[in-house]
Amino acid sequence: MLDLSRLNPEQLAAVKHTEGPLLVLAGAGSGKTGVITYRIAHLILNKKVPPDQILAVTFTNKAAKEMKERVEHLVGRKNCKGIVLSTFHSLGLRVLKRDIECLGYKKNFSIYSTADQVGLVRQIVREVNSSSKKYDAEQIIFRISGAKNKLIPPDRFTPNPTDEVEMMAALVYPRYQSALKAYNAIDFDDIIMLTAELLQHHPKVLQHWQDRFSYIMVDEYQDTNSSQYLLVSSLAAGCGNLCVVGDDDQSIYGWRGADVGNILDFEKDFKGCRTIKLEQNYRSTGNILDAANSVISNNKVRKAKKLWTATGTGPLIDLCIVQDDEEEATSVVERIQLERFKKDTPYSDFAILYRTNSQSRAFEEQLRFEDIPYVLVGGTQFFERKEVKDTISYLRVIANPMDEVALLRIINFPKRGIGDHTVIRINQWSLENEVPLFEALGRVGEIEGVTDVIRDKVLAFHDLLIDASERFHGEGSIAEKGKDLFERLGIESEIYRTIDDQKAARRKVENVEQVINSMAAYEERVPAATLSGFMEKVSLMDEDRFSGKDKKEHGKDAVTLMSLHSSKGLEFPFVFLVGMEDEILPHKRSIYEDDSIDEERRLCYVGITRARQQLVMTRTLFRKKYGKLQERVPSRFLDEIPPAVLNVIQSGVVKETSEEEAEKNAEGFFAKMRAMMG
């Protein structure tokens, strides 16, 4: 018999309720994975269910592997033989490999990679595109993927007439799908869509798989989309024993097709459903949970639940109000150093969470400045992002016209009609005549085969760089000069022109903006700031990367930087939730465009509940935009946190909100910190 004494009453009820539909609303840190694994073990050991009749589905291979290992630990590897613990796509492939011939494919089908998809879509776009307009193949694939996740076939795909990419996707989709079938190939989204089609339209196939599984469990149910919902509900219609585990309060992937309605409507969709709430939290302190509960309760459409803990209230949540984004980064890094000094805390205990990846720049710079190891999760290091490298290349050439690698990168960015053949001809002439490439641009009239039109474009580019160089060597702010240069180049317009996905374009524009902010921050640190000095600082960052310094940080003792979306499912003893301002969290898009901030509030909730022992929130009074300070508005989510759990720290002055803490008459936070560090 399996020992279930370690489970709390609600967990035990979820494990023992094996017959009929069951909804387990598992709050953050409530031990949901343990419930699923104990439930599987209970079925095998206590109820003597054959393992091959059990199906458990989750979203990632890592989660499926962890689940399998935990089940094996409980029941022994021998007793696990035949059980299916898989991702949705692994389950879909299992069905397709047996029955895809019913859909007119051969069993030895191929699965197209992203590169394969891009190549095929580009070929089809060339065939159907009668205009000279260029389309981003990846954005077309994204639109087709969205349709497939909603089980919308090509003949029912209705594009938004104001969205040019969707209009093109509507032309490409049927040809793309026909081509895949002709090549006996499917793409990643087809794995679920075709599986759902098989189960929906081929009764014998459906009957086989319904007979195969008597007990079905789904983890992270709040993240399922339409096709995954149909797949699960079709299989479960046979046995009726469907258990789904999830938390609507942590549904943060609506932008990629997840439908929170699947978990909200589960009790309506599956009659006779029992609902069990897991509200005891084993991760965070009482004050952290009070903040999380208070924030998320403002979402009106949700399953009511309230997290609690038996481990005590813990320290207050620090809300640090600083002057600007540079002081924000400095204060966070100083706090990390203080905690290290006080308790010898490993760097891996600290996580810095932010809403958008562009926010990482100031923290990356400050961590490097203090020689603190860090690892960036789910993103590219700031100075390695394409749009950043493009803009930095202009500054490199202006600081050093002999930097031919940077010069070649920008010669036709933004597009100015200087094609590859012209660049090759100029480069060849410079080599033959032993003339630097930059000088060759100014002498393009001497090069044979360059037309007058192209010559004028090359000379205009050369003159622009000379003029920019003269401006940068004059007096005045280098950040202001950089902003002026990027505006004259029209880099922002170029990004919006060449990237059809406006959300992706906006992120890239924000990163260009951060280059200017980085220059402005450098000027504040270095009184006699020069462009050459700034470029030396950037080059030193590259030197760290090429020397392999970053490699030792991965998987070892390093501070973690990540977006809130990437942080779901993780936890850290010490969490910094930064940028608590309107237009950041909640994001300005949700305020001005989407007319809903429910998912943004869930993101905030996820961020708060990543913290185990200490949570520090930060907000700025001003934040740089293109190097200029702009006044900021506090995040509306801060007003939703009980004042009693907050310890407000502003510009070195502690404003205690707790009467008990007020009596301590604590000295200024930063003054105390610096004193302790000598």
Side-chain angles (χ1 to χ4, degrees), residues 31-74:
K32 69 178 179 60
T33 305
V35 167
I36 296 174
T37 53
Y38 266 93
R39 195 171 191 273
I40 294 170
H42 173 66
L43 287 168
I44 295 172
L45 295 182
N46 295 351
K47 299 211 64 175
K48 307 303 179 184
V49 174
D52 60 1
Q53 292 182 16
I54 298 172
L55 168 65
V57 189
T58 187
F59 277 84
T60 66
N61 288 315
K62 179 182 176 183
K65 181 182 177 183
E66 179 186 346
M67 193 183 297
K68 183 177 181 181
E69 289 172 349
R70 292 176 71 166
V71 171
E72 286 180 350
H73 176 73
L74 290 173

Side-chain angles (χ1 to χ4, degrees), residues 519-642:
M519 296 171 74
Y522 173 73
E523 286 186 286
E524 291 174 3
R525 285 180 177 168
V526 181
T530 64
L531 178 61
S532 296
F534 175 72
M535 296 316 302
E536 285 177 12
K537 186 199 77 164
V538 174
S539 297
L540 285 173
M541 292 186 178
D542 281 342
E543 183 180 21
D544 285 343
R545 179 171 55 87
F546 289 123
S547 69
K549 178 179 176 182
D550 290 336
K551 292 181 182 178
K552 70 180 181 181
E553 296 160 5
H554 289 264
K556 295 192 177 181
D557 190 21
V559 176
T560 299
L561 277 71
M562 62 170 60
S563 70
L564 286 167
H565 283 101
S566 298
S567 73
K568 184 171 173 288
L570 302 177
E571 58 184 69
F572 301 89
F574 211 111
V575 168
F576 295 92
L577 184 51
V578 300
M580 291 296 295
E581 300 144 37
D582 271 7
E583 298 190 350
I584 294 182
L585 184 65
H587 195 277
K588 58 186 175 184
R589 185 174 61 249
S590 71
I591 298 173
Y592 303 123
E593 296 176 22
D594 295 347
D595 196 30
S596 170
I597 61 168
D598 282 10
E599 187 155 317
E600 293 292 302
R601 186 175 280 109
R602 292 196 289 267
L603 263 180
C604 183
Y605 173 84
V606 165
I608 292 171
T609 54
R610 296 315 91 193
R612 294 209 303 257
Q613 300 165 12
Q614 179 70 64
L615 174 64
V616 177
M617 294 178 162
T618 66
R619 77 169 182 87
T620 66
L621 300 175
F622 302 90
R623 194 170 288 274
K624 289 188 182 72
K625 186 175 179 64
Y626 287 117
K628 291 288 189 180
L629 290 175
Q630 293 188 354
E631 193 168 357
R632 304 298 302 174
V633 175
S635 170
R636 62 195 67 192
F637 301 149
L638 291 175
D639 289 336
E640 299 171 358
I641 297 175

Side-chain angles (χ1 to χ4, degrees), residues 443-513:
R443 296 171 60 181
V444 67
E446 302 175 33
I447 303 174
E448 293 183 5
V450 178
T451 66
D452 291 345
V453 173
I454 298 299
R455 179 202 64 202
D456 291 344
K457 291 178 179 179
V458 172
L459 288 175
F461 172 61
H462 184 257
D463 291 344
L464 181 148
L465 293 176
I466 291 176
D467 178 65
S469 179
E470 291 173 350
R471 294 187 186 206
F472 269 98
H473 284 94
E475 293 185 359
S477 163
I478 60 170
E480 277 293 302
K481 292 168 185 174
K483 178 176 180 290
D484 179 64
L485 172 64
F486 296 163
E487 286 178 349
R488 288 165 60 202
L489 290 167
I491 289 177
E492 182 175 331
S493 299
E494 177 77 354
I495 290 172
Y496 280 117
R497 185 184 68 80
T498 55
I499 300 177
D500 293 301
D501 184 343
Q502 294 301 289
K503 294 178 183 177
R506 186 185 292 113
R507 288 194 295 269
K508 291 180 180 294
V509 167
E510 288 173 352
N511 287 333
V512 173
E513 183 181 309

Side-chain angles (χ1 to χ4, degrees), residues 8 38 143 166 170 174 182 193 201 226-227 231 233 377 385 404 408 509 535 540 571 582 586 592 609 653:
N8 67 38
Y38 266 93
R143 299 302 202 284
E166 277 201 7
M193 187 176 80
H201 300 296
S226 299
S227 58
L231 171 57
S233 58
V377 177
R385 295 166 188 164
E404 297 191 353
L408 289 170
V509 167
M535 296 316 302
L540 285 173
E571 58 184 69
D582 271 7
Y592 303 123
T609 54
V653 179

Side-chain angles (χ1 to χ4, degrees), residues 329-344:
T330 301
S331 68
V332 167
V333 173
E334 285 182 342
R335 181 65 178 268
I336 291 172
Q337 290 174 315
L338 172 64
E339 295 299 324
R340 291 267 297 173
F341 179 83
K342 286 164 55 181
K343 304 174 185 176
D344 195 27

